[in-house]
Amino acid sequence: SDPSSYILGWFAAFIGTIGFGSFAVPIKGDAANSVDIDPLVMQSYKSLMCFLTSWLVVLLGQEVTFTWWGLVSGLFWVPGGAFNIFAIRNAGLAISQGIVASSIVMVSFIWGNLIFREPVKNQIIAYGAVWLIMAGLYGMSYYSTAESLAAESAGITMTSHGEEKNEEEEGLMRKKSDDSFENDSSAPPSESLEITTQQHPIRRGRSILICGRTYSRRNLGLFSALMCGTWGGSCLVPMHYSSGDTNGLGYVISFSIGAIAVTILLWILRFGYQLFKLKSPKEAYEVLPSFHFRVMWLPGATAGSLWSLGNVGSIVAVEHLGQGVGYSASQGALLISGIWGIFYFKEVSKPVIIGKWFLSAFVTITGILLLGYESSPAEPGRR
């Protein structure tokens, strides 16, 4: 096997962590909070940018190729991406991405090691490395939210500056925020990408009625994160069954076509559901969520572009390292998102908790390096 291919795979995985770890920053920003963006709307921005940016691979000398397996990838990724956005908006960035990353590592390793039989030097050590990664990701996720969870149990809301507000103050802020949701047109377009640490409250305190039962937004967000990891975590598995020039960078265009096709299909199904309920095409169209284009075009394009960067990196990593190692290594993105949360959004302020978070990050990186050491460079045609 070619050592340069192995090095390229790990460099691509690093690029994947940068993109995947940063794409959620615009989703957490003031623009998305001001309009309470619908998950499918935000996912549509991501899918559109994934489609538009995918053609840049032609500039790298890649021929335009297509495989129907890209549509299968879209069936995994688009619903998983919408679940992920709902999780970020309702359960929080750090805890949701911890669940997503941990479950993706396990799902990817099951596909790679048990189903595709990708080679490792020592099965026991490789499994130990996977558990190290998952334990480290859980610790990073937990310590990223430790302060906010403690404050919630005391009836206090922590702002992103580390300040405290009681329930009455939070209620007044939520009421003001609700008023702004009802008057989206007042949001100035010039502030569309303003991602400050003084955020509007995300409406986590409200329940959602499903089939006659109420569920808290936080619990549904955590469940959505698990669904994203277990379902969306298989989005690159179909690439294993593609052949010829449709592997690696050659798969990017097929993936993006599948993503945009499945996104359109979900909108058609959503419109059909509303039409079945309301019996009026006009009313069914009017109840569909707004794209809030004046406010969200720039944050949506930024989030989609960053995710596309991570996707290209992970595709190349899977091509050269295999599904089990390549996609698992890309989940080190939680390290990047955690750094955003701690140092930019200032979600954690206590030095002791920050120290524990970095200890968990060290465990995660150790697991990734150990998994990389135990893996064998992927042979051509074997992923």
Side-chain angles (χ1 to χ4, degrees):
S1 55
D2 185 3
S4 63
S5 175
Y6 194 58
I7 295 174
L8 175 61
W10 278 101
F11 177 75
F14 172 74
I15 296 299
T17 64
I18 299 297
F20 286 156
S22 302
F23 89 91
V25 174
I27 299 175
K28 191 178 171 66
D30 282 346
N33 285 339
S34 68
V35 296
D36 195 25
I37 194 74
D38 183 87
L40 185 55
V41 170
M42 194 69 195
Q43 177 60 36
S44 299
Y45 280 109
K46 286 173 57 185
S47 297
L48 178 61
M49 291 308 301
C50 176
F51 176 76
L52 294 177
T53 58
S54 68
W55 300 93
L56 295 176
V57 299
V58 176
L59 300 180
L60 300 177
Q62 178 64 47
E63 295 183 2
V64 177
T65 57
F66 176 75
T67 172
W68 290 101
W69 286 111
L71 294 176
V72 182
S73 286
L75 288 172
F76 281 110
W77 176 61
V78 176
F83 277 124
N84 194 19
I85 293 168
F86 183 87
I88 293 170
R89 302 279 303 146
N90 292 278
L93 176 62
I95 185 69
S96 62
Q97 297 314 284
I99 295 174
V100 169
S102 299
S103 51
I104 284 179
V105 168
M106 181 55 70
V107 168
S108 296
F109 196 75
I110 289 174
W111 275 107
N113 189 257
L114 299 183
I115 298 177
F116 296 151
R117 299 294 181 181
E118 294 169 348
V120 292
K121 297 175 182 176
N122 187 297
Q123 290 279 356
I124 296 177
I125 296 180
Y127 274 100
V130 169
W131 283 107
L132 270 180
I133 295 172
M134 295 181 64
L137 292 172
Y138 175 81
M140 292 163 65
S141 173
Y142 176 81
Y143 291 117
S144 295
T145 57
E147 290 184 19
S148 60
L149 290 176
E152 284 179 12
S153 65
I156 297 172
T157 298
M158 298 294 295
T159 69
S160 49
H161 286 297
E163 300 167 348
E164 299 180 354
K165 294 196 295 289
N166 58 33
E167 292 179 347
E168 181 178 355
E169 292 173 322
E170 174 67 13
L172 291 174
M173 286 191 66
R174 184 175 289 117
K175 183 177 185 303
K176 293 179 180 178
S177 181
D178 290 343
D179 293 340
S180 69
F181 295 149
E182 297 171 1
N183 188 18
D184 169 63
S185 61
S186 63
S190 61
E191 299 178 0
S192 58
L193 193 60
E194 183 178 356
I195 307 173
T196 66
T197 54
Q198 184 65 41
Q199 299 172 43
H200 299 283
I202 297 176
R203 297 196 283 185
R204 297 183 194 164
R206 296 190 173 186
S207 299
I208 296 179
L209 184 66
I210 302 177
C211 299
R213 297 187 61 180
T214 57
Y215 300 88
S216 73
R217 282 182 172 267
R218 177 178 173 79
N219 289 340
L220 286 176
L222 295 176
F223 175 75
S224 295
L226 182 62
M227 286 297 297
C228 173
T230 53
W231 180 260
S234 300
C235 67
L236 292 185
V237 170
M239 189 176 74
H240 174 83
Y241 299 101
S242 65
S243 59
D245 296 333
T246 57
N247 292 322
L249 286 178
Y251 193 73
V252 172
I253 293 177
S254 299
F255 183 100
S256 69
I257 293 174
I260 202 72
V262 173
T263 302
I264 293 173
L265 175 63
L266 289 182
W267 277 109
I268 293 174
L269 292 175
R270 189 165 182 171
F271 175 78
Y273 172 74
Q274 295 297 341
L275 180 62
F276 176 78
K277 282 179 56 180
L278 301 174
K279 311 298 183 184
S280 169
K282 183 173 183 289
E283 292 182 10
Y285 174 78
E286 289 176 347
V287 299
L288 292 177
S290 170
F291 273 71
H292 304 289
F293 186 76
R294 290 181 58 204
V295 177
M296 287 302 304
W297 74 270
L298 189 53
T302 304
S305 299
L306 287 170
W307 190 91
S308 295
L309 176 67
N311 185 49
V312 171
S314 65
I315 285 176
V316 176
V318 169
E319 180 189 19
H320 292 276
L321 301 177
Q323 176 73 29
V325 176
Y327 209 45
S328 296
S330 299
Q331 301 316 305
L334 186 60
L335 176 65
I336 305 300
S337 63
I339 290 174
W340 277 109
I342 292 174
F343 296 105
Y344 186 77
F345 290 113
K346 303 187 186 304
E347 294 176 337
V348 181
S349 58
K350 295 180 180 178
V352 174
I353 296 181
I354 293 177
K356 292 179 178 178
W357 183 89
F358 273 105
L359 179 61
S360 299
F362 175 77
V363 172
T364 302
I365 294 173
T366 300
I368 291 175
L369 293 176
L370 182 60
L371 184 63
Y373 176 77
E374 287 300 317
S375 67
S376 299
E379 300 174 4
R382 183 176 185 179
R383 291 172 305 279

